[in-house]
Amino acid sequence: KTDFDGIVICSTTAEHRDLVARCVGAGKPIFVEKPMGMNGDDSAAIAGLLTEAGVPFSTGYFRRGDGQVRKLRRLVQEGAFGTVTRARFSNCHSGALGGWFDSEWRWMADLSRAGVGAFGDLGTHVLDLALWMFGSPDRAVGSLQAGTNRYPGCEEYGEAIFAYDSGLLVTLAAGWNDVADPCPIQLMATGGHALICNGSLMVKIGDGPLEEVEGDEGAPAGFSGFVDYVVTGEGELVLPTEALARDRAMSAVYRSNESGRWESVVRD
């Protein structure tokens, strides 16, 4: 049947590759929930299927649509802060504390089906923002922790450092053990700094004051952007190569957690 407009895949991550292989032949836009694959290698295979078929694709990176994030990214691209030396991204909630994954969503805390635990689940959203602003890192090191151990074999929180050959250091926190996440983005640079904290975008450029500024206009992103594309033919999509880059960077953190050392981020 071809009397449909698009395909949405929100299965367990372990099923993504098979489902994409079975769906690309329809020639319809495909949405695959994040992460695209179980790990970097699995995502590379999925990206290959999507690219070969030439079908429009997107995934659930909805944070790109936030007006404050868009303003901050624009300022970075314009060089308003000078050279960015350090940036910190955080995405945390209380899912493990509240037992969100005890029943229907238990598979999300099972690495054999989800591919990742708390760090990969939530961290990928802000990892996407980091790569959206600065491109792919070169190396990563990370530590993942069991937390309450409510879900044996699945980390509940973690921290990572992503290093760029340019000298930029990006740190990332993510997990299911926090009751609040007040400051999701902090950025430090040679000519200023900025942070998004408690719902406000604060910016300091040069000798000017640290002041709250308005964000840019928001835009549909993630699933909303995909729906816009299906309905109107226009919308902001995430490229398969972008989703792959995020999964490869995240895989480096998981490898580092096992090896106890810095791991290279795979690039084409």
Side-chain angles (χ1 to χ4, degrees):
K1 293 184 177 181
T2 57
D3 55 344
F4 57 91
D5 299 313
I7 298 167
V8 177
I9 296 175
C10 290
S11 66
T12 66
T13 313
E15 298 174 282
H16 285 182
R17 184 172 174 179
D18 178 61
L19 289 172
V20 169
R22 292 163 59 185
C23 290
V24 290
K28 302 291 185 178
I30 298 178
F31 178 93
V32 181
E33 184 54 292
K34 57 77 191 172
M36 184 166 68
M38 293 285 284
N39 50 48
D41 291 341
D42 193 38
S43 291
I46 293 171
L49 290 168
L50 293 163
T51 301
E52 182 178 0
V55 295
F57 160 84
S58 200
T59 189
Y61 292 133
F62 66 92
R63 298 283 288 269
R64 293 186 181 193
D66 180 82
Q68 293 179 339
V69 170
R70 297 172 79 84
K71 174 67 169 285
L72 185 57
R73 178 175 183 259
R74 180 170 61 81
L75 290 173
V76 168
Q77 290 181 321
E78 291 172 354
F81 301 107
T83 300
V84 179
T85 54
R86 295 180 293 119
R88 178 166 177 79
F89 295 80
S90 176
N91 191 23
C92 304
H93 62 45
S94 58
L97 303 180
W100 295 6
F101 312 106
D102 286 1
S103 54
E104 180 182 3
W105 302 106
R106 181 63 181 85
W107 69 266
M108 292 184 64
D110 178 353
L111 270 65
S112 70
R113 291 186 286 172
V116 294
F119 190 79
D121 170 47
L122 288 186
T124 191
H125 283 291
V126 283
L127 177 60
D128 171 62
L129 298 184
L131 271 61
W132 199 44
M133 292 185 188
F134 304 116
S136 293
D138 295 286
R139 298 169 303 285
V141 65
S143 178
L144 309 179
Q145 301 298 318
T148 69
N149 204 34
R150 187 168 192 146
Y151 309 109
C154 175
E155 88 279 354
E156 293 182 4
Y157 66 91
E159 290 266 353
I161 303 173
F162 296 94
Y164 292 69
D165 285 347
S166 66
L168 171 65
L169 294 175
V170 170
T171 59
L172 191 152
W176 300 334
N177 279 186
D178 291 3
V179 296
D181 189 28
C183 296
I185 301 178
Q186 301 173 60
L187 183 152
M188 285 64 68
T190 58
H193 62 269
L195 66 157
I196 296 176
C197 194
N198 293 316
S200 297
L201 171 58
M202 306 295 294
V203 171
K204 175 179 173 61
I205 296 176
D207 295 330
L210 177 66
E211 57 184 355
E212 183 174 358
V213 300
E214 293 293 325
D216 285 349
E217 183 177 356
F223 186 65
S224 295
F226 176 77
V227 171
D228 272 13
Y229 181 87
V230 170
V231 172
T232 69
E234 298 180 357
E236 296 190 18
L237 302 180
V238 179
L239 297 175
T241 50
E242 290 182 295
L244 171 58
R246 280 105 185 109
D247 289 353
R248 280 176 164 170
M250 188 62 74
S251 286
V253 175
Y254 279 78
R255 294 198 308 273
S256 172
N257 182 65
E258 293 296 322
S259 69
R261 61 176 182 265
W262 285 89
E263 295 286 343
S264 296
V265 175
V266 176
R267 290 181 173 182
D268 288 329

